[in-house]
Amino acid sequence: MAMYGIPVLILKEGSQRTVGREALRANIMAARALAEVLKTSLGPRGLDKMLVDSFGDVTVTNDGATIVKEMEVQHPAAKLLVEVAKAQDAEVGDGTTSAVVLAGALLRKAEELLDQNIHPTIIIEGYTKALKEALRILDEIALKVDPSDRETLKKVVTTTIASKYIGGPLVSEKLTNMAIDAALTVAEKKPDGIYEFRVDDVKIEKKKGGNVLDTQLVYGIVLDKEVVHPGMPRRVENAKIALLDAALEVEKPEITAKINITSPELMNAFIEEEARILRDMVEKIASTGANVVITQKGIDEVAQHFLAKKGILAVRRVKRSDLEKLERATGGKIVSSVRDLKPEDLGYAALVEERRVGNDKMVFVEGCKNPKAVTILVRGASDMVLDEIERSLKDALNVLRNVLRVPKIVPGGGATEIAVALKLRDYAAKIGGKEQLAIEAFASALEEIPLILAETAGLDPLETLMKLRQYHSEGKVNAGIDVINGVVREDMSSISVVEPLLVKNSMIKTAAEAAVTILKIDDIIAASPLKKEEKKEKKEEEETSPGKTSF
Ligand SMILES: Nc1ncnc2c1ncn2[C@@H]1O[C@H](COP(=O)(O)OP(=O)(O)O)[C@@H](O)[C@H]1O
Ligand SMILES: [Mg+2]
């Protein structure tokens, strides 16, 4: 039975296949290229990237997570790294740039080992052992902290906030304090002494205009909405709030109904009937004792008028997410039909008030039943500033969540990476064989972080590395690079550059796992790329991402 010469097609037409070492090299190259891009944005002296998407929208940032999200990465291996970076961001909200950079370094070192004819399996084995040991070392060198000690919290927040543009020490100080106050307000103390909260529990509302220093922490919920009718009160104390997912409008039939109006009397009757329905709705709401109505849907002008006459303050077209926050904050219940509204569904707040913020008006719901509701109202001259402040605040909140959850810290400025590298080399010697080389490669890859930080600080990278190794071998485990002042310091905690253990931990884990995943691939099977038009359609489908800045 001759089977020769019969082509067997298992792949779709136009697919491309790359196998073995060639595939591995191609993947390493792509992942390294991505790491190269992110490298220069690491740390407080990191440079910004300007990202222009296919619609011409521009984002300027040095936030690794944002950069990888906005970059349209093509190569599958680089995409894999992007996914990993996003996962890291979702999990701990920090250390994204470092994770990508470290993954890139691990892959570069792996390539050197491949050049020495070391099999990928050995490298993978070595890296896996190195990771396990690195995590153990990290835990050993980490310092236990008291989560209720505000000074420690300030230190960790300052380190994160310093790596973003936010305009001077006054602003940093203010945002740091605000983030801590917000976090401590929403956090729940668990029986084991650990504090827990979700970053989303702190509402961040941005309003263009004013100065960053006008940014304020509000103990309650702020809605970017106005009171709907001029005849309504602007301020209601002891607010009993109806939270509605219902329109205060007369339902229009689905299909266009044709009504023949044959006389002016009929016309009047018709209008009166509508008014009656709306008045009944308002009567029903008022009968529950509500003096504030907040709805996700619309409010008809006639209904507004009736509400105003009853002295009820009303806000319409509120975002679902805000309504849900209000539900939690005020202890009320979202009701989707006015008919079903009961007094026990009403939420409570000591004060609901419309206030002028810049050129706009916003509604403040303060003194809520549940005091764990807070909003940070961010002010700033442009959308770009607002976005960067929001990212800084999110970073700060993430860092707080991390250090409150696992109350341990490690020194920043490359100190931890040097310390772990040093101990890993000792460990490598114990393991021996070819795996030793891979573990040593892992240690060298970790040193990539201080090398880059030195460069951004204008220091000679190699000289700095030598000096740091020296200090560490003398037992100065906190020695690192003061990037802001461009000097090597024997103790990073003296300038408050410290990070939560959880971030370092997950950064190293993420990077190592990504590198190992890429090293395991020996076959790339790629479908033929989509044609231009198809791509455009796809893009349009996916276009939902908000938060971009248009110039
Ligand atoms: N003042 C500082 N001096 C030296 N290093 C710093 C300082 N502030 C932050 N770092 C370091 O910068 C790195 C984090 O940089 P960042 O741009 O936030 O990237 P990532 O996305 O990885 O968090 C960490 O290694 C941290 O220790
Ligand atoms: Mg960071």
Side-chain angles (χ1 to χ4, degrees), residues 305-352:
H305 167 79
F306 288 132
L307 285 164
K309 268 173 71 178
K310 290 263 175 210
I312 295 175
L313 181 160
V315 182
R316 69 176 163 180
R317 300 201 197 287
V318 168
K319 277 187 292 188
R320 180 76 195 180
S321 57
D322 282 351
L323 207 61
E324 282 166 3
K325 285 203 172 84
L326 281 167
E327 194 173 38
R328 247 176 292 141
T330 65
K333 187 166 152 258
I334 300 171
V335 172
S336 48
S337 156
V338 173
R339 227 178 306 127
D340 300 337
L341 187 69
K342 293 186 292 294
E344 56 267 34
D345 297 329
L346 302 181
Y348 176 82
L351 178 66
V352 175

Coordinates of all heavy atoms in Angstrom, one line a residue, residues 305-352:
H305 N -42.5 67.2 37.9 CA -43.3 68.3 38.5 C -44.0 67.8 39.8 O -44.0 68.4 40.8 CB -44.3 68.7 37.4 CG -45.4 69.6 37.9 ND1 -45.2 70.9 38.2 CD2 -46.7 69.3 38.2 CE1 -46.3 71.5 38.6 NE2 -47.2 70.5 38.7
F306 N -44.6 66.6 39.7 CA -45.3 66.1 40.8 C -44.4 65.8 42.0 O -44.7 66.0 43.1 CB -46.1 64.8 40.5 CG -47.3 65.0 39.6 CD1 -47.6 64.3 38.5 CD2 -48.2 66.0 40.0 CE1 -48.7 64.5 37.7 CE2 -49.4 66.3 39.2 CZ -49.6 65.5 38.1
L307 N -43.2 65.2 41.6 CA -42.2 64.9 42.7 C -41.8 66.2 43.4 O -41.7 66.3 44.6 CB -41.0 64.3 42.0 CG -41.1 62.8 41.6 CD1 -40.0 62.4 40.7 CD2 -41.1 61.9 42.9
A308 N -41.5 67.3 42.5 CA -41.1 68.6 43.1 C -42.2 69.1 44.1 O -41.9 69.6 45.2 CB -40.9 69.6 42.0
K309 N -43.5 68.9 43.7 CA -44.5 69.4 44.5 C -44.6 68.7 45.9 O -45.0 69.2 46.9 CB -45.9 69.2 43.8 CG -46.3 70.5 43.1 CD -47.5 70.4 42.2 CE -48.8 70.3 42.9 NZ -49.9 70.2 42.0
K310 N -44.1 67.4 45.9 CA -44.1 66.6 47.1 C -42.8 66.9 47.9 O -42.6 66.3 48.9 CB -44.1 65.1 46.8 CG -45.4 64.7 46.2 CD -46.3 64.1 47.4 CE -47.6 63.7 46.9 NZ -48.6 63.8 47.9
G311 N -41.9 67.8 47.3 CA -40.6 68.1 48.0 C -39.7 66.9 48.0 O -38.8 66.7 48.8
I312 N -39.8 66.1 46.9 CA -38.9 65.0 46.8 C -37.7 65.3 45.8 O -38.0 65.9 44.8 CB -39.6 63.7 46.2 CG1 -40.7 63.3 47.3 CG2 -38.6 62.6 45.9 CD1 -41.5 62.1 46.8
L313 N -36.5 65.0 46.2 CA -35.3 65.2 45.4 C -35.1 64.0 44.5 O -35.1 62.9 45.0 CB -34.1 65.4 46.3 CG -32.7 65.7 45.8 CD1 -31.9 66.4 46.8 CD2 -32.0 64.5 45.2
A314 N -35.0 64.2 43.2 CA -34.9 63.1 42.3 C -33.7 63.2 41.4 O -33.4 64.3 40.9 CB -36.2 62.9 41.5
V315 N -33.1 62.0 41.1 CA -31.9 62.0 40.2 C -32.2 60.8 39.2 O -32.7 59.8 39.6 CB -30.6 61.7 41.0 CG1 -29.4 61.6 40.0 CG2 -30.4 62.7 42.1
R316 N -32.0 61.1 37.9 CA -32.3 60.0 37.0 C -31.1 59.6 36.2 O -30.0 60.2 36.2 CB -33.4 60.5 36.0 CG -32.8 61.6 35.1 CD -33.9 62.0 34.1 NE -33.5 63.3 33.5 CZ -34.2 63.9 32.6 NH1 -35.3 63.4 32.2 NH2 -33.8 65.1 32.1
R317 N -31.2 58.5 35.4 CA -30.2 57.9 34.6 C -28.9 57.7 35.3 O -27.8 58.1 34.8 CB -30.0 58.7 33.3 CG -31.3 58.9 32.5 CD -31.1 59.2 31.1 NE -32.3 59.7 30.5 CZ -33.4 58.9 30.2 NH1 -33.3 57.6 30.5 NH2 -34.5 59.4 29.8
V318 N -29.0 57.1 36.5 CA -27.8 56.8 37.2 C -27.2 55.4 36.7 O -28.0 54.5 36.4 CB -28.2 56.7 38.7 CG1 -27.1 56.1 39.6 CG2 -28.5 58.1 39.2
K319 N -25.9 55.3 36.7 CA -25.3 54.0 36.2 C -25.7 52.9 37.1 O -25.8 53.0 38.4 CB -23.8 54.1 36.3 CG -23.2 54.8 35.1 CD -21.6 54.7 35.1 CE -21.1 55.5 36.2 NZ -19.6 55.7 36.3
R320 N -25.9 51.7 36.6 CA -26.2 50.5 37.3 C -25.2 50.3 38.5 O -25.6 50.0 39.6 CB -26.2 49.3 36.4 CG -26.6 48.0 37.1 CD -28.1 47.9 37.4 NE -28.4 46.9 38.4 CZ -29.6 46.6 38.8 NH1 -30.6 47.3 38.3 NH2 -29.9 45.7 39.7
S321 N -23.9 50.4 38.1 CA -22.9 50.1 39.1 C -23.0 51.1 40.3 O -22.8 50.7 41.5 CB -21.5 50.2 38.5 OG -21.3 51.5 38.0
D322 N -23.4 52.4 40.0 CA -23.6 53.3 41.1 C -24.8 53.0 41.9 O -24.8 53.1 43.2 CB -23.8 54.7 40.5 CG -22.5 55.3 40.1 OD1 -21.4 54.7 40.4 OD2 -22.5 56.4 39.4
L323 N -25.9 52.5 41.3 CA -27.1 52.2 42.0 C -26.8 51.0 42.9 O -27.3 51.0 44.1 CB -28.2 51.7 41.0 CG -29.6 51.9 41.4 CD1 -29.9 53.4 41.7 CD2 -30.6 51.4 40.3
E324 N -26.0 50.1 42.4 CA -25.6 48.9 43.3 C -24.7 49.4 44.5 O -24.9 48.9 45.6 CB -24.9 47.9 42.5 CG -25.9 47.0 41.6 CD -25.2 46.2 40.6 OE1 -24.0 46.2 40.5 OE2 -26.0 45.6 39.8
K325 N -23.9 50.4 44.2 CA -23.1 50.9 45.3 C -24.0 51.6 46.4 O -23.8 51.4 47.6 CB -22.0 51.9 44.8 CG -20.9 51.2 44.1 CD -19.6 52.1 44.1 CE -18.4 51.3 43.6 NZ -18.4 51.4 42.1
L326 N -25.0 52.3 45.8 CA -25.9 52.9 46.7 C -26.7 51.9 47.6 O -27.0 52.1 48.7 CB -26.9 53.8 45.9 CG -26.4 55.1 45.4 CD1 -27.3 55.8 44.4 CD2 -26.2 56.1 46.6
E327 N -27.0 50.8 46.9 CA -27.8 49.8 47.6 C -27.0 49.3 48.8 O -27.5 49.2 49.9 CB -28.0 48.6 46.6 CG -29.0 47.6 47.1 CD -29.3 46.5 46.0 OE1 -28.3 46.1 45.3 OE2 -30.4 46.1 45.9
R328 N -25.7 49.1 48.6 CA -24.8 48.6 49.7 C -24.7 49.7 50.7 O -24.7 49.5 51.9 CB -23.5 48.2 49.2 CG -23.2 46.7 49.3 CD -21.9 46.3 48.7 NE -22.0 46.4 47.2 CZ -21.0 46.9 46.5 NH1 -19.8 47.2 47.0 NH2 -21.1 47.0 45.2
A329 N -24.5 50.9 50.3 CA -24.2 52.0 51.2 C -25.4 52.4 52.0 O -25.2 52.6 53.2 CB -23.7 53.2 50.4
T330 N -26.5 52.5 51.4 CA -27.7 53.0 52.1 C -28.6 52.0 52.8 O -29.5 52.3 53.5 CB -28.6 53.9 51.2 OG1 -29.1 53.0 50.2 CG2 -27.8 55.0 50.5
G331 N -28.2 50.7 52.4 CA -29.0 49.6 53.0 C -30.4 49.5 52.3 O -31.3 48.8 52.8
G332 N -30.6 50.1 51.2 CA -31.8 50.1 50.5 C -31.9 48.9 49.5 O -30.9 48.1 49.5
K333 N -33.0 48.8 48.8 CA -33.1 47.7 47.8 C -33.5 48.2 46.5 O -34.5 49.0 46.5 CB -34.1 46.7 48.4 CG -34.1 45.4 47.6 CD -34.9 44.3 48.3 CE -35.6 43.4 47.4 NZ -37.0 43.6 47.2
I334 N -32.8 47.8 45.4 CA -33.2 48.3 44.1 C -34.6 47.6 43.7 O -34.7 46.4 43.8 CB -32.2 48.0 43.1 CG1 -30.8 48.6 43.4 CG2 -32.6 48.4 41.7 CD1 -29.7 48.2 42.6
V335 N -35.5 48.5 43.4 CA -36.9 47.9 43.0 C -37.1 48.3 41.6 O -36.9 49.4 41.1 CB -37.9 48.6 43.9 CG1 -39.3 48.2 43.5 CG2 -37.7 48.2 45.4
S336 N -37.6 47.3 40.8 CA -37.8 47.5 39.4 C -39.2 47.9 39.0 O -39.5 48.0 37.8 CB -37.3 46.3 38.6 OG -37.8 45.1 39.2
S337 N -40.1 48.0 39.9 CA -41.4 48.5 39.6 C -41.9 49.3 40.8 O -41.9 48.9 41.9 CB -42.4 47.3 39.3 OG -43.7 47.7 39.6
V338 N -42.4 50.5 40.5 CA -42.8 51.4 41.5 C -43.9 50.8 42.4 O -44.0 51.0 43.6 CB -43.3 52.8 40.9 CG1 -44.0 53.6 42.0 CG2 -42.2 53.5 40.2
R339 N -44.8 50.0 41.7 CA -45.9 49.3 42.4 C -45.4 48.5 43.5 O -46.1 48.4 44.5 CB -46.6 48.4 41.3 CG -48.1 48.5 41.3 CD -48.7 47.6 40.3 NE -48.1 47.9 38.9 CZ -47.6 46.9 38.1 NH1 -47.6 45.7 38.5 NH2 -47.1 47.3 37.0
D340 N -44.2 47.9 43.4 CA -43.7 47.0 44.4 C -42.9 47.7 45.5 O -42.5 47.0 46.5 CB -42.7 45.9 43.8 CG -43.5 45.1 42.7 OD1 -44.7 45.0 42.8 OD2 -42.8 44.6 41.9
L341 N -42.7 49.0 45.4 CA -41.9 49.7 46.4 C -42.6 49.7 47.8 O -43.7 50.0 48.0 CB -41.7 51.2 45.9 CG -40.7 52.0 46.8 CD1 -39.3 51.5 46.6 CD2 -40.8 53.5 46.4
K342 N -41.8 49.3 48.8 CA -42.3 49.2 50.2 C -41.3 50.1 51.1 O -40.2 50.3 50.7 CB -42.2 47.7 50.7 CG -43.2 46.8 49.9 CD -43.3 45.5 50.5 CE -42.0 44.6 50.3 NZ -41.7 44.3 49.0
P343 N -41.9 50.5 52.2 CA -41.0 51.4 53.1 C -39.7 50.7 53.4 O -38.7 51.4 53.5 CB -41.9 51.6 54.3 CG -43.3 51.4 53.8 CD -43.3 50.4 52.7
E344 N -39.7 49.4 53.6 CA -38.5 48.7 54.0 C -37.4 48.6 52.9 O -36.3 48.2 53.1 CB -38.8 47.3 54.6 CG -39.5 46.4 53.7 CD -41.0 46.4 54.0 OE1 -41.6 47.5 54.3 OE2 -41.7 45.4 53.8
D345 N -37.8 49.0 51.7 CA -36.9 49.0 50.6 C -36.0 50.3 50.5 O -35.1 50.4 49.8 CB -37.6 48.9 49.2 CG -38.4 47.6 49.1 OD1 -37.9 46.6 49.7 OD2 -39.4 47.6 48.4
L346 N -36.5 51.3 51.3 CA -35.8 52.6 51.2 C -34.4 52.5 51.9 O -34.2 51.9 52.9 CB -36.6 53.6 51.9 CG -38.0 53.9 51.3 CD1 -38.7 55.0 52.1 CD2 -38.0 54.2 49.9
G347 N -33.5 53.2 51.3 CA -32.1 53.3 51.9 C -32.1 54.5 52.8 O -33.0 55.4 52.7
Y348 N -31.0 54.6 53.6 CA -30.9 55.8 54.5 C -29.6 56.5 54.3 O -28.5 55.8 54.2 CB -31.1 55.4 55.9 CG -30.9 56.6 56.9 CD1 -31.9 57.5 57.1 CD2 -29.7 56.8 57.4 CE1 -31.8 58.6 57.9 CE2 -29.5 57.9 58.2 CZ -30.5 58.8 58.4 OH -30.3 60.0 59.2
A349 N -29.6 57.8 54.3 CA -28.4 58.6 54.4 C -28.7 59.9 55.2 O -29.8 60.4 55.1 CB -27.9 59.0 53.0
A350 N -27.7 60.3 55.9 CA -28.0 61.5 56.8 C -28.2 62.7 55.9 O -28.9 63.7 56.3 CB -26.8 61.7 57.7
L351 N -27.5 62.7 54.7 CA -27.7 63.9 53.9 C -27.5 63.5 52.4 O -26.6 62.8 52.0 CB -26.6 64.9 54.2 CG -26.5 66.2 53.4 CD1 -27.7 67.1 53.6 CD2 -25.2 67.0 53.7
V352 N -28.5 64.1 51.6 CA -28.3 64.0 50.1 C -28.3 65.4 49.6 O -29.2 66.2 50.0 CB -29.5 63.2 49.5 CG1 -29.3 63.3 47.9 CG2 -29.5 61.8 49.9

